[in-house]
Amino acid sequence: VCIHRVRSCSSIRFIKSKYVCVFDRSALKFSHQQRLFRTSAVSCGQIVQFKLSDIGEGITEVTVKEWYIKEGDSVSQFDSICEVQSDKASVTITSRYDGVIRKLHYSIDDIAFVGKPLVDIEIDASKGVASEDVVETPPMSHEEHTHQEIKGHKTLATPAVRRLAMENNIKLSEVVGTGKDNRILKEDILNYLAKQTGAILPPSPKAEIVPPLRKTEAVPAAPKDKARKIPVPVSRPIAFSGKDKTEPVTGFQKAMVKTMSAALKIPHFGYCDEIDLTQLVQLREELKPVAEIRGVKLSFMPFFIKAASLGLLQYPILNASLDENCQNVTYKASHNIGVAMDTEQGLIVPNVKNVEVCSVFDIAVELNRLQSLGSAGQLGTSDLTGGTFTLSNVGTIGGTYTKPMILPPEVAIGALGKIQVLPRFNGKGEVFKAQIMNVSWSADHRIIDGATMARFSNLWKSYLENPASMLLDLK
């Protein structure tokens, strides 16, 4: 019988025909199953296994810290799916597809492996997803920076900027980025469009620069409590279970194990000194209200970092790295100075990039950003890698002297103690109150001798004890 098949979901209708012929039952059965499969694909969509991609730095596994979606939720391209944490940084994974989440392959705190399915996403098969598109999406850090390879050149742009460029048929390689590290901003795309179409765009708003206040107009400082502050211990609930507990070493603790094991192979040289910060303390008190008006918290650390950068210009060996075979020394052009931070996730060391071309205020702005992200556990890989020199301000917690461990491949590190009011003698032999801070340096004794470390420390000390002298060397 000649059969006219009319599709209605998964059913097949037979329409009577005046022509009769012999047919094979097995062929009809196969055709029926095939039609059922195709109809199901159209009505229910295609399931794509969304795999965890390689996030670089040799990382093969991560810990799932938070899901931003659940089964049955609809997602669009570039929507955040989950946050994962490696031993180096926290990374937000974003969707490559528009569809519906059908399955989560991991629970919170599970270990996810690179190259393995992360979620199953049901997409609309009618949109025609090619087989080569069914691959994992690249991860995105909390800065939402993504790199696009264009003719061997890496272009830095956010997913929103990339989508805006794609919608307007703009090649990112033709746009000049004005953001940090030549990152392409939304304004750059709009300006590029304006040049092509002749449109006039309103100027992008810029932060208003507030001039320093005169002494007569200075903001009155809040009265300080002269009574000595007694540290209050942090109260935590104590639970006695009576049983030993074993936990795996994960996250930043795992990174610390790896880094400190490598640091033990370095012959450390130690050097300590004390710094009189009396003038710097006064200068910071004058500049704090100005920085607060600009929305920035000004601590002592930006001054310490900038003074270190000025010293590194004179002693570049301290901003170098030594290869594994100890045959070559690489002098780093950028001063990416790391700052050790104590967080709930453990010790992390983000770094301020290109300090040699930054002002003290620029460094303060960047430190505020790093501290906010560090407290929230949202520092990206770019913030935690690429350091060339490190300062650790352990004095914010307590202590005077310490023995800091070098962070390979760096060759030097400094640890700052707490600032204390101590009696000292001036040139006339008179006793006065001085703001004293102690510093402890560690250097790689394979390429740095004691005299070089001492000379660098003396130069750094002179900048801080006479902060006005930094003005002569600022670029």
Side-chain angles (χ1 to χ4, degrees):
V1 179
C2 293
I3 303 173
H4 298 277
R5 290 179 296 176
V6 179
R7 286 182 295 172
S8 176
C9 293
S10 60
S11 63
I12 297 179
R13 297 179 181 176
F14 294 89
I15 301 178
K16 186 176 181 181
S17 176
K18 60 182 178 179
Y19 299 101
V20 179
C21 63
V22 179
F23 65 91
D24 186 2
R25 182 184 300 271
S26 62
L28 175 61
K29 183 177 180 181
F30 175 79
S31 177
H32 181 220
Q33 292 176 342
Q34 186 181 32
R35 178 54 56 191
L36 281 175
F37 172 77
R38 291 182 179 178
T39 304
S40 175
V42 173
S43 61
C44 298
Q46 179 181 352
I47 301 295
V48 176
Q49 283 195 331
F50 181 80
K51 298 179 181 179
L52 177 64
S53 67
D54 184 5
I55 58 180
E57 301 292 332
I59 296 171
T60 59
E61 62 182 40
V62 295
T63 303
V64 179
K65 302 303 294 183
E66 183 178 0
W67 285 105
Y68 299 120
I69 45 87
K70 61 182 181 298
E71 293 181 1
D73 285 354
S74 297
V75 294
S76 301
Q77 294 185 49
F78 309 120
D79 282 353
S80 298
I81 291 180
C82 66
E83 178 185 343
V84 299
Q85 186 181 72
S86 67
D87 57 353
K88 297 181 181 295
S90 295
V91 178
T92 298
I93 305 298
T94 58
S95 175
R96 184 185 177 92
Y97 311 105
D98 299 332
V100 179
I101 302 296
R102 291 305 179 194
K103 181 180 179 181
L104 306 181
H105 286 268
Y106 300 99
S107 300
I108 300 296
D109 293 331
D110 281 355
I111 302 298
F113 297 93
V114 171
K116 299 297 182 181
L118 190 63
V119 297
D120 289 351
I121 302 179
E122 180 183 324
I123 61 176
D124 189 353
S126 62
K127 294 183 179 180
V129 179
S131 59
E132 60 268 20
D133 289 337
V134 186
V135 295
E136 61 271 22
T137 183
M140 183 179 65
S141 70
H142 281 277
E143 298 179 60
E144 294 187 340
H145 288 180
T146 56
H147 294 78
Q148 186 179 18
E149 192 77 22
I150 302 177
K151 297 180 180 179
H153 175 70
K154 287 186 175 180
T155 303
L156 192 62
T158 63
V161 172
R162 289 170 49 207
R163 173 177 287 185
L164 179 63
M166 181 178 62
E167 292 174 349
N168 292 277
N169 296 322
I170 297 176
K171 294 183 179 179
L172 291 179
S173 58
E174 299 176 355
V175 181
V176 179
T178 59
K180 186 177 181 180
D181 299 329
N182 298 323
R183 180 164 61 97
I184 297 177
L185 308 176
K186 180 180 178 181
E187 291 77 8
D188 300 330
I189 299 295
L190 296 177
N191 290 332
Y192 182 86
L193 280 174
K195 293 179 181 179
Q196 300 297 321
T197 61
I200 300 177
L201 298 177
S204 57
K206 296 183 180 180
E208 180 182 0
I209 302 300
V210 181
L213 300 177
R214 299 178 182 177
K215 291 185 178 181
T216 57
E217 300 175 355
V219 178
K224 295 184 178 180
D225 186 7
K226 296 182 179 180
R228 185 178 179 181
K229 295 183 179 180
I230 301 176
V232 179
V234 179
S235 59
R236 294 182 179 178
I238 301 176
F240 295 98
S241 61
K243 296 181 180 179
D244 296 340
K245 183 174 67 173
T246 303
E247 294 180 348
V249 178
T250 59
F252 295 129
Q253 286 184 337
K254 192 172 184 179
M256 187 185 299
V257 170
K258 182 179 178 181
T259 303
M260 292 298 100
S261 297
L264 286 176
K265 301 177 183 179
I266 300 175
H268 283 56
F269 166 79
Y271 179 83
C272 300
D273 201 356
E274 72 171 30
I275 320 293
D276 184 358
L277 298 180
T278 303
Q279 293 187 34
L280 182 61
V281 170
Q282 296 175 355
L283 176 63
R284 174 177 171 265
E285 287 299 322
E286 294 177 3
L287 296 179
K288 274 179 62 178
V290 180
E292 290 175 357
I293 292 175
R294 300 186 187 183
V296 175
K297 180 181 179 182
L298 182 63
S299 63
F300 289 104
M301 186 56 73
F303 297 96
F304 299 153
I305 292 175
K306 188 60 183 181
S309 177
L310 294 175
L312 294 176
L313 292 174
Q314 301 295 325
Y315 300 95
I317 188 64
L318 297 174
N319 196 60
S321 64
L322 185 65
D323 64 1
E324 294 182 359
N325 297 324
C326 301
Q327 299 296 321
N328 299 290
V329 177
T330 302
Y331 294 85
K332 302 301 180 66
S334 299
H335 296 172
N336 300 337
I337 299 183
V339 180
M341 294 183 180
D342 178 42
T343 68
E344 294 182 357
Q345 292 79 27
L347 176 66
I348 56 177
V349 189
N351 58 83
V352 180
K353 299 289 195 297
N354 302 314
V355 176
E356 74 280 1
V357 294
C358 293
S359 66
V360 173
F361 183 78
D362 293 335
I363 299 171
V365 172
E366 182 65 4
L367 278 178
N368 281 202
R369 184 186 70 86
L370 294 175
Q371 289 168 348
S372 297
L373 293 177
S375 300
Q378 297 179 350
L379 285 168
T381 305
S382 61
D383 295 324
L384 296 168
T385 56
T388 60
F389 186 87
T390 299
L391 291 177
S392 175
N393 191 8
V394 71
T396 57
I397 301 176
T400 306
Y401 292 99
T402 183
K403 182 183 178 182
M405 301 295 291
I406 300 171
L407 303 177
E410 300 174 18
V411 295
I413 185 175
L416 313 175
K418 62 183 178 181
I419 300 176
Q420 307 176 84
V421 179
L422 299 173
R424 289 294 183 266
F425 291 95
N426 59 18
K428 299 179 180 180
E430 300 171 345
V431 178
F432 70 98
K433 293 193 303 182
Q435 304 278 351
I436 301 298
M437 181 189 73
N438 298 99
V439 61
S440 304
W441 301 103
S442 290
D444 189 337
H445 214 350
R446 294 173 295 184
I447 59 173
I448 300 174
D449 54 62
T452 301
M453 190 73 252
R455 292 189 179 100
F456 167 82
S457 179
N458 289 337
L459 179 58
W460 181 77
K461 174 180 178 179
S462 67
Y463 283 132
L464 298 178
E465 291 188 339
N466 304 282
S469 64
M470 286 195 288
L471 295 175
L472 298 177
D473 295 323
L474 292 178
K475 302 297 182 181

